């Protein structure tokens, strides 16, 4: 007898919190959906369950305005009539860090626990614009049993299930929504039409199924359920024949598939093919101001707020957990794709901008507060001068430049000394002005402002930037330096036109157009015209770039720049340049070319040349004065490389250096334009060059005259949420809403660096990138504080190639969580020293302890190659 196919119908809604309408307007519709849910389920016996899009924030949004309904909704979840979780929000995967993805889950888990309910054990990822290479590692690390996803799989698998693996081998069973999360949505259709939709889906998906199960997704964006629909299933079963139609849940479908233990195809790495559905890859550069702010907010939380707060907790201080969670929630609410990707209305993105800025401000204040409190545990000699407490967020010992604003007497002269009294190289910029929004330099002001009995006692205008070269900063540790007055005024720096610079790693030659040549003295190769600019017209929308017929790129080569300032501080030389590029003011009225009218786009470039490092730091400020264009900085190397690699959540991701596919089989252009987290590396023979960015996530690679050319998108200026006339995509990707703010007119600041590699190993790539990305932070201890006791903080020693990902207090508040990942080819060791015995446990990303590893004051933890390791540090009972 032939076995009937089980057709699992999951009724759901896909809830974008904000998109073509604002959050509050969508929330009013959410109230209607949720208010009617209990009665709809209660009065329709055949309606078994409803899925709430994998997001617990939807419940939080609802309970905020309907607190009296909480018990009713919780009851529905407990009775398995309503399926929720596992995420707080559904994030875009390419514009966030792996740690943000994990916090997303942890905050959801905490909320569900507070409400006494559980989320589904399935990684529901229905509408992300592609999926990152290391997402399987996160899903596995969180203990989820399977993933459900759409978009980007392409021809890697045309089956309804496959095994998805990260490059390091972490794997998870994956449900492939071949026809999207809306293949059984009603879209307002009557039941007769719905019957034909189901018939066609069953017939089509039968050719792709790997087991005796088919999944029909009965819902779509903001859609309310048809509660009566499942009552028709018995009649449809008889008419269709050989099927059993179940009103089902995600968890039931996954269990049914896994029970059959199918032999599934293995798919490895990034899923970003636009062959069968839009990937909308250019959202990585839309509304660039959001990306830049988000990068800093994530960096503040994971590399400064959480580690410093965990140290406070270790010393017995309060954790600030409420403020940390508040900052995370602000940021996470900005991580759905319609928010962080920049593809919504102007009003929506004003809200996004405010949330991210608020997350940054809360985070900076928490960093300042933590350093202020931790100073009480440090050995400080207030007689030596103004104490400067420095925290090194980098996992290795290093020398590093430290900059902070301190209140000083500009008529006096100062020097910086270390704890032994040795004078350090330093300088003070007496013309600098404090900007509290530049979070990492303004900590002393934020701390003093928070604690002052009256704001009148805090003179922001007296704060000036002090910069010095700190030596021997311990990994994830603290050092104390002192700013003291000196009798004789000396000036190391002076204004000149001498832009020449050379150290033991490279020779820097500034070109007249503002680009530069870099002679790599280690690898015996010269890179010419690095950091020139290229501009092209853009007839696209918030989702996709669209090239204009006949448009030729405009570049900044051989167009003179003006040197504004050159200063030599000994350990660094700083060159400031003004550059203007003449560009068409907009697209032509027929959208087939660019306007004949032109205007200037000004750019200020600052090159920081470091005596002791193989790196050129760039700070760039541009004022966008024109519309409908894409502006990039360019890196070209004299070598046809076989691959370009960029960083992902927990390792490197490799891509071909040049390709383009766009034919009748593709929904949008597929081109060698990629998303990175922070850095890209060209590494072949003598070419060993890394470009590290802070908030720039999009780059494009091509082979030009046997050279490899990379363009990094600084901004894309467009003014439509969606259009249907693109040269790179078929039809609309959203509603055709006018969005003039997406032209990004105004001033933007960027930071990036060119880094020369010596070995070209993954260990070196990460070490040098992180050395740039995670700068030391400092606090001036302006008032003498009574010492509590000597520090009992743990110390860490990471073997080369072991990289820190997280250092935080567990959500349970009972242990220190440390996560790292290995880029080593061989086993490495993490050494941990404490002032008292501790227990160390193997843990997962959910922060469950698994296996006891070690106990004592000195612990050596073996770390396997390419693995992601989470450990839990707990004080031995009877300890502090």
């Amino acid at each position: 007898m032939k076995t009937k196919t089980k057709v699992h119908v999951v009724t759901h809604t896909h809830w974008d919190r904000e998109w073509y309408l604002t959050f509050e307007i969508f929330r009013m519709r959410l109230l209607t959906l949720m208010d009617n849910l209990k009665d709809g389920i209660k009065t329709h016996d055949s309606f078994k369950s409803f899925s709430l899009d994998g997001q617990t924030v939807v419940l939080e949004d609802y309970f905020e305005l309907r607190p009296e309904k909480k018990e009713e909704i919780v009851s529905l979840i407990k009775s398995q009539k309503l399926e929720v979780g596992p995420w707080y929000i559904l994030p875009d995967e390419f514009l966030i860090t792996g740690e943000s993805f994990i916090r997303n889950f942890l905050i959801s888990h905490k909320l569900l626990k507070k409400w006494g309910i559980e989320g589904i054990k399935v990684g529901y990822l229905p509408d992300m614009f592609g999926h990152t290479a290391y997402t399987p590692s996160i899903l596995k690390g969180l203990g989820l049993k399977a993933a459900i996803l759409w978009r980007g799989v392409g021809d890697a698998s045309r089956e309804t299930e496959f095994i998805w693996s990260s490059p390091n081998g972490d794997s998870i069973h994956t449900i492939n929504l071949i026809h999207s999360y809306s293949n059984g949505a009603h879209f307002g259709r009557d039941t007769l039409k719905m019957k034909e939709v189901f018939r066609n889906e069953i017939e089509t998906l039968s050719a792709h199924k790997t087991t005796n199960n088919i999944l029909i997704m009965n819902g779509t964006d903001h859609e309310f359920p048809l509660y009566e629909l499942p009552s028709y299933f018995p009649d449809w079963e008889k008419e269709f024949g050989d099927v059993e139609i179940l009103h089902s849940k995600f968890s039931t479908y996954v269990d049914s598939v896994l029970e059959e233990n199918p032999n599934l195809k293995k798919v490895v790495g990034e899923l970003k093919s636009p062959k069968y559905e839009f990937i909308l890859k250019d959202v990585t550069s839309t509304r660039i101001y959001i990306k830049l702010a988000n990068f800093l907010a994530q960096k503040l939380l994971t590399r400064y707020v959480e580690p410093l707060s965990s140290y406070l907790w270790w010393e017995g201080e309060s954790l600030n957990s409420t403020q940390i969670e508040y900052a995370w929630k602000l940021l996470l609410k900005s991580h759905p794709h319609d928010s962080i990707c920049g593809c919504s209305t102007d009003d929506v993105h004003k809200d996004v901008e405010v949330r991210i800025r608020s997350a940054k401000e809360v985070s900076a204040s928490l960093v300042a507060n933590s350093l202020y409190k931790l100073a009480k545990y440090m050995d400080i000699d207030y007689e030596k001068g103004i104490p400067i407490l420095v925290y090194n967020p980098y996992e290795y010992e290093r020398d590093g430049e430290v900059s902070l604003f301190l209140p000083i007497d500009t008529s006096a002269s100062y020097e910086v000394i270390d704890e032994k009294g040795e004078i350090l190289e330093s300088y003070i910029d007496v013309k600098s002005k404090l900007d509290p929004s530049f979070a990492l330099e303004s900590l002393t002001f934020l701390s003093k402002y928070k604690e002052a009995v009256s704001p009148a006692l805090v003179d922001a205008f007296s704060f000036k930037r002090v910069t010095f070269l700190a030596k021997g900063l311990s990994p994830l540790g603290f050092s104390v330096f002192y700013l003291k007055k000196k009798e004789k005024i000396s000036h190391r720096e002076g204004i000149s036109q001498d832009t020449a610079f050379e150290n033991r790693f490279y020779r820097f030659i500034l070109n007249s157009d503002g680009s530069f040549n870099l002679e790599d003295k280690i690898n015996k190769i010269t890179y010419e015209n690095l950091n020139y600019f290229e501009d092209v017209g853009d007839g696209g929308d918030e989702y996709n770039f669209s090239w204009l017929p006949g448009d030729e790129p405009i570049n900044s080569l051989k167009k003179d720049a003006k040197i504004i300032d050159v200063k030599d501080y000994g350990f660094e030389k700083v060159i400031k340049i003004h550059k203007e590029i003449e560009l068409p003011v907009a697209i032509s009225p027929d959208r087939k070319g660019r306007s004949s009218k032109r205007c200037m786009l000004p750019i200020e470039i600052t090159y920081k040349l470091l005596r002791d490092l193989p790196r050129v730091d760039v700070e760039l400020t541009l004022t966008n004065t024109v519309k409908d264009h894409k502006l990039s900085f360019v890196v070209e190397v004299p070598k046809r490389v076989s691959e370009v690699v960029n960083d992902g959540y927990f390792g490197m991701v490799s891509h071909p250096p040049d390709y383009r596919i766009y034919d009748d089989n593709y929904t949008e252009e597929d081109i060698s334009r990629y998303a990175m987290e922070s850095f890209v590396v060209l590494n072949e023979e003598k070419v060993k060059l890394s470009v590290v960015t802070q908030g720039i996530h999009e780059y494009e690679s091509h082979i030009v005259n046997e050279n490899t050319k990379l363009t990094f998108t600084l901004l894309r200026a467009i003014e439509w949420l969606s259009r249907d006339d693109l040269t790179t995509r078929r039809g609309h990707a959203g509603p055709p809403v006018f969005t003039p703010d997406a032209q990004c007119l105004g001033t933007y600041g960027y930071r990036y660096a060119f880094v020369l590699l010596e070995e070209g190993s993954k260990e070196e790539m990460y070490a040098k990138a992180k050395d740039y990305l995670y700068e030391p932070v400092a606090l001036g201890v302006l008032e003498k504080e009574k010492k509590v006791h000597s520090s009992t903080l743990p110390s860490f020693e990471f073997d080369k190639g072991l990289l820190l990902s997280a250092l935080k207090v567990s959500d349970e508040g009972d242990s220190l969580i440390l996560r790292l990942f290995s880029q080593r080819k061989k086993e490495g060791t993490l050494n941990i020293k404490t002032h008292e015995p501790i227990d160390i446990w193997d843990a997962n990303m959910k922060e469950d302890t698994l296996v006891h590893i070690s106990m004592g004051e000195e612990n050596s933890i073996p770390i396997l190659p390419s693995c992601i390791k989470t450990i839990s540090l707990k004080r031995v009972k009877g300890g502090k």
Side-chain angles (χ1 to χ4, degrees):
M1 181 178 178
K2 185 177 180 181
T3 303
K4 290 184 177 181
T5 297
K6 290 182 180 180
V7 179
H8 297 255
V9 180
V10 175
T11 302
H12 73 102
T13 190
H14 177 56
W15 205 264
D16 300 301
R17 290 183 81 242
E18 52 194 5
W19 180 22
Y20 56 87
L21 297 172
T22 60
F23 160 65
E24 292 297 355
I25 294 176
F26 277 137
R27 179 151 69 165
M28 294 304 104
R29 182 171 174 82
L30 176 67
L31 296 181
T32 304
L33 168 68
M34 300 298 290
D35 286 348
N36 296 333
L37 199 58
K38 184 178 180 182
D39 288 342
I41 293 175
K42 184 177 180 180
T43 57
H44 295 84
D45 292 338
S46 60
F47 194 93
K48 303 298 183 184
S49 180
F50 184 71
S51 181
L52 206 50
D53 203 33
Q55 307 183 73
T56 54
V57 72
V58 180
L59 292 176
E60 192 175 51
D61 292 340
Y62 180 67
F63 293 158
E64 187 177 20
L65 298 186
R66 292 282 195 272
E68 73 279 4
K69 295 278 190 177
K70 183 183 293 184
E71 185 176 336
E72 177 181 301
I73 297 299
V74 167
S75 176
L76 285 176
I77 297 169
K78 288 182 176 179
S79 62
Q80 299 187 35
K81 296 292 186 181
L82 183 59
E83 203 171 35
V84 299
W87 311 114
Y88 183 60
I89 55 90
L90 292 177
D92 178 80
E93 294 178 35
F94 286 94
L95 292 170
I96 65 170
T97 64
E99 289 302 326
S100 291
F101 211 154
I102 294 167
R103 297 306 175 282
N104 183 357
F105 176 92
L106 291 175
I107 286 178
S108 172
H109 183 67
K110 185 176 181 179
L111 275 176
L112 293 170
K113 187 175 181 180
K114 182 177 77 171
W115 295 329
I117 53 183
E118 290 188 3
I120 60 174
K121 303 297 189 292
V122 177
Y124 186 56
L125 309 169
D127 196 26
M128 287 66 177
F129 300 157
H131 305 276
T132 74
Y134 285 90
T135 297
S137 294
I138 290 178
L139 302 178
K140 180 183 178 182
L142 292 172
L144 301 175
K145 65 171 68 173
I148 298 178
L149 57 79
W150 181 51
R151 296 194 196 265
V153 179
D155 286 326
S157 175
R158 296 309 293 160
E159 297 179 332
T160 52
E161 287 82 32
F162 59 88
I163 300 293
W164 185 22
S165 295
S166 295
N168 69 349
D170 291 335
S171 299
I172 192 164
H173 286 85
T174 301
I175 313 303
N176 184 11
L177 300 177
I178 291 176
H179 292 161
S180 89
Y181 59 85
S182 308
N183 66 327
H186 62 76
F187 293 111
R189 294 175 289 205
D190 60 27
T191 53
L192 186 62
K193 291 180 180 177
M194 287 301 296
K195 181 177 71 173
E196 294 310 308
V197 169
F198 275 47
R199 188 199 305 273
N200 290 336
E201 278 301 299
I202 292 168
E203 180 180 339
T204 305
L205 290 177
S206 291
H208 300 273
K209 65 185 178 71
T210 65
T211 67
N212 203 42
N213 298 273
I214 284 175
L215 177 60
I216 292 183
M217 301 286 286
N218 174 223
T220 191
D221 302 358
H222 307 108
E223 189 168 85
F224 294 170
L226 296 179
Y227 293 104
E228 71 278 9
L229 187 68
S231 65
Y232 294 90
F233 292 173
D235 292 337
W236 293 359
E237 287 179 0
K238 295 174 185 177
E239 186 173 339
F240 295 169
D242 295 325
V243 297
E244 179 184 3
I245 307 178
L246 310 171
H247 198 230
S248 191
K249 302 190 290 288
F250 290 131
S251 52
T252 303
Y253 178 79
V254 168
D255 288 343
S256 296
V257 168
L258 296 182
E259 282 172 8
E260 294 191 30
N261 193 28
N263 183 21
L264 300 178
K265 181 178 181 180
K266 185 176 182 179
V267 175
V268 179
E270 197 171 280
L271 304 176
K272 218 174 182 188
S273 168
K275 184 170 183 179
Y276 298 104
E277 59 275 326
F278 296 152
I279 287 299
L280 312 172
K281 65 168 55 183
D282 300 316
V283 294
T284 46
S285 56
T286 304
R287 297 186 192 258
I288 192 66
Y289 57 91
I290 292 174
K291 280 70 169 176
L292 298 170
N294 178 65
F295 179 88
L296 178 55
Q298 291 182 115
K299 170 177 160 178
L300 281 168
L301 278 164
T302 57
R303 300 302 295 213
Y304 301 95
V305 171
E306 290 182 335
L308 291 170
S309 296
S310 68
Y311 285 160
L312 273 180
W313 172 84
W314 191 269
E315 296 287 16
E317 299 268 0
S318 61
L319 180 58
N320 299 321
S321 57
T322 303
Q323 294 107 301
I324 295 172
E325 183 175 299
Y326 173 66
W328 267 119
K329 282 187 174 182
L330 286 169
L331 191 58
L332 292 174
K333 287 175 183 176
S334 302
H335 282 178
H337 61 206
D338 297 306
S339 308
I340 194 63
C341 290
C343 50
S344 294
T345 66
D346 290 343
D347 283 344
V348 164
H349 288 296
K350 288 171 185 173
D351 293 342
V352 173
E353 193 174 7
V354 168
R355 285 197 302 267
I356 297 177
R357 185 178 70 242
S358 297
K360 288 193 303 178
E361 291 168 348
V362 172
S363 297
S365 295
L366 284 171
V367 173
N369 185 58
S370 294
L371 285 172
Y372 173 77
K373 290 184 175 181
L374 284 165
K376 294 183 292 185
Y377 298 92
M378 304 297 159
D379 292 322
I380 295 177
D381 185 350
Y382 291 89
E383 300 301 317
K384 291 182 177 179
I386 299 174
I388 300 172
L389 178 62
V390 175
Y391 171 64
N392 176 23
Y394 186 52
E395 48 268 66
Y396 307 117
E397 182 177 314
R398 64 168 163 182
D399 300 342
E401 179 190 284
V402 177
S403 284
L404 75 160
F405 276 85
L406 289 174
I408 63 168
D409 177 2
T410 55
S411 66
S413 186
Y414 294 85
E415 62 188 7
V416 177
I417 61 173
D418 65 14
E419 292 175 290
K420 296 179 181 178
E422 294 183 8
I423 299 173
L424 304 178
E425 295 176 281
S426 64
Y427 63 91
I428 296 175
D429 184 355
V430 295
K431 295 181 180 179
S432 58
K433 295 180 181 179
L434 174 73
D435 179 0
S437 67
F438 196 78
L440 292 177
E441 290 189 346
S442 62
L443 300 179
T444 306
F445 170 80
L446 293 174
S447 174
K448 187 172 178 61
Y449 188 82
K450 179 179 181 294
E451 300 295 331
V453 67
S454 170
L457 299 176
V458 187
D459 179 11
F461 295 102
S462 70
F463 282 74
K464 302 299 177 185
R465 183 185 290 109
V466 178
T467 302
F468 63 97
L469 182 61
K471 301 284 189 177
L473 298 174
S474 59
L476 305 176
F478 299 88
S479 303
V480 179
F481 302 90
Y482 299 89
L483 180 72
K484 58 176 289 191
K485 288 186 178 182
K486 61 180 181 178
E487 295 180 3
K488 186 178 180 182
I489 299 176
S490 61
H491 295 281
R492 164 80 196 192
E493 78 282 356
I495 298 176
S496 74
Q497 295 297 304
D498 182 11
T499 61
F501 182 84
E502 186 170 358
N503 62 19
R504 67 180 184 272
F505 306 104
Y506 64 79
R507 188 161 70 99
F508 173 95
I509 300 173
L510 181 67
N511 298 321
S512 61
D513 56 22
S515 67
F516 65 93
N517 298 348
L518 198 64
E519 179 189 334
D520 182 344
K521 296 163 70 173
I522 304 298
N523 295 296
K524 312 298 183 187
I525 189 172
T526 298
Y527 306 105
E528 296 184 347
N529 301 318
L530 294 177
N531 203 44
Y532 75 86
F533 303 99
E534 184 174 274
D535 191 82
V536 293
D538 190 346
D541 55 25
E542 291 184 331
Y543 295 106
N544 287 94
F545 166 76
S546 180
W547 47 265
L548 301 176
D551 184 38
E552 291 293 330
I554 299 169
N555 68 52
S556 63
L557 291 171
K558 299 181 180 179
K559 294 159 188 170
D560 285 350
K562 181 181 179 182
I563 298 172
I564 302 299
D565 192 16
V566 181
K567 289 187 177 178
D568 187 349
Y569 298 107
F571 61 95
E572 67 181 26
K573 177 177 277 191
V574 179
I575 304 171
K576 295 184 179 181
I577 299 164
H578 177 80
K579 174 83 178 178
E580 293 190 352
I581 309 173
E582 188 177 39
L583 298 174
V585 296
I587 201 170
S588 61
D590 63 3
R591 301 188 67 84
K592 292 182 179 180
R594 304 182 75 174
S595 170
S596 58
K597 184 178 179 181
R598 297 194 168 207
C599 71
M600 306 307 291
L601 186 150
I603 301 176
E604 305 290 333
I605 309 166
T606 299
Y607 291 121
K608 186 180 290 186
L609 310 171
L610 307 159
R611 180 189 63 200
D612 302 324
L613 292 174
R615 202 176 78 203
V616 176
D617 293 356
V618 182
E619 293 182 10
L620 183 145
T621 302
L622 66 84
T623 300
N624 184 36
T625 55
V626 302
K627 299 179 178 181
D628 310 309
H629 70 119
K630 179 168 75 168
L631 179 66
S632 306
F633 74 87
V634 182
V635 176
E636 192 165 344
V637 303
K639 173 70 179 178
R640 172 191 281 267
V641 301
S642 58
E643 66 173 0
V644 293
V645 294
N646 62 257
D647 63 328
Y649 293 159
F650 301 109
M652 303 302 291
V653 183
S654 175
H655 301 287
D658 196 356
Y659 75 91
R660 181 182 183 273
I661 307 171
Y662 190 40
D663 56 30
D664 292 341
N665 296 316
Y666 276 71
T667 63
E668 69 179 81
E669 179 184 60
D670 194 9
I671 195 169
S672 46
R673 187 180 307 127
Y674 305 113
M676 61 176 178
E677 186 169 312
S678 298
F679 65 93
V680 180
V681 179
L682 298 173
N683 180 28
E684 203 154 318
E685 297 178 357
K686 291 183 177 182
V687 172
K688 297 186 186 303
L689 179 65
S690 176
V691 181
V692 190
T693 69
Q694 300 204 36
I696 298 170
H697 296 291
E698 180 179 286
Y699 73 100
E700 188 167 333
S701 173
H702 292 289
I703 303 299
V704 180
N705 299 324
E706 296 303 305
N707 291 348
T708 303
K709 178 183 177 182
L710 302 182
T711 55
F712 294 81
T713 309
L714 291 166
L715 63 79
R716 249 182 10 100
I718 62 277
E719 62 184 17
W720 290 94
L721 199 160
S722 177
R723 295 186 63 90
D724 64 356
D725 59 353
L726 274 60
T727 56
T728 54
R729 191 190 69 229
R730 305 188 192 286
H732 274 296
V737 179
F738 184 57
T739 56
D741 287 356
Q743 292 283 11
C744 293
L745 299 174
T747 302
Y748 303 96
Y750 306 82
R751 297 176 68 197
Y752 51 95
F754 298 84
V755 182
L756 297 175
L757 305 176
E758 186 171 349
E759 310 162 4
S761 65
K762 292 179 181 178
E763 295 100 312
E764 185 187 18
M765 294 175 191
Y766 267 99
K768 289 184 175 176
K770 287 192 167 199
D771 186 28
Y772 168 69
L773 291 170
Y774 305 130
E775 61 267 46
V777 291
L779 178 82
V781 185
L782 302 181
E783 296 180 9
K784 187 173 182 179
E785 295 288 341
K786 184 179 179 181
K787 187 175 180 180
V788 179
H789 59 71
S790 294
S791 170
T792 64
L793 297 178
S795 63
F796 303 96
E797 182 183 339
F798 292 71
D799 273 358
K800 184 180 179 182
L802 301 183
L803 291 312
L804 179 74
S805 186
L807 181 62
K808 64 183 290 288
V809 177
S810 69
D811 275 16
E812 291 294 325
D814 61 353
S815 65
L816 196 63
I817 297 294
L818 186 149
R819 185 162 31 257
L820 73 165
F821 61 99
S822 174
Q823 291 296 287
R824 294 173 59 89
K825 294 180 180 179
K826 298 180 180 179
E827 183 178 290
T829 302
L830 168 65
N831 293 311
I832 304 173
K833 293 182 180 180
T834 53
H835 294 265
E836 58 187 332
I838 59 169
D839 273 328
I840 299 182
W841 294 75
D842 196 6
N844 59 19
M845 292 178 182
K846 192 179 174 184
E847 301 183 355
D848 298 325
T849 53
L850 305 174
V851 179
H852 188 258
I853 299 174
S854 179
M855 185 180 78
E857 295 181 10
E858 296 189 11
N859 298 273
S860 295
I861 315 300
I863 309 295
L864 295 176
S866 302
C867 82
I868 305 161
K869 184 82 167 179
T870 305
I871 61 173
S872 171
L873 284 64
K874 297 186 177 183
R875 296 182 185 275
V876 174
K877 285 188 177 180
K880 183 179 173 181

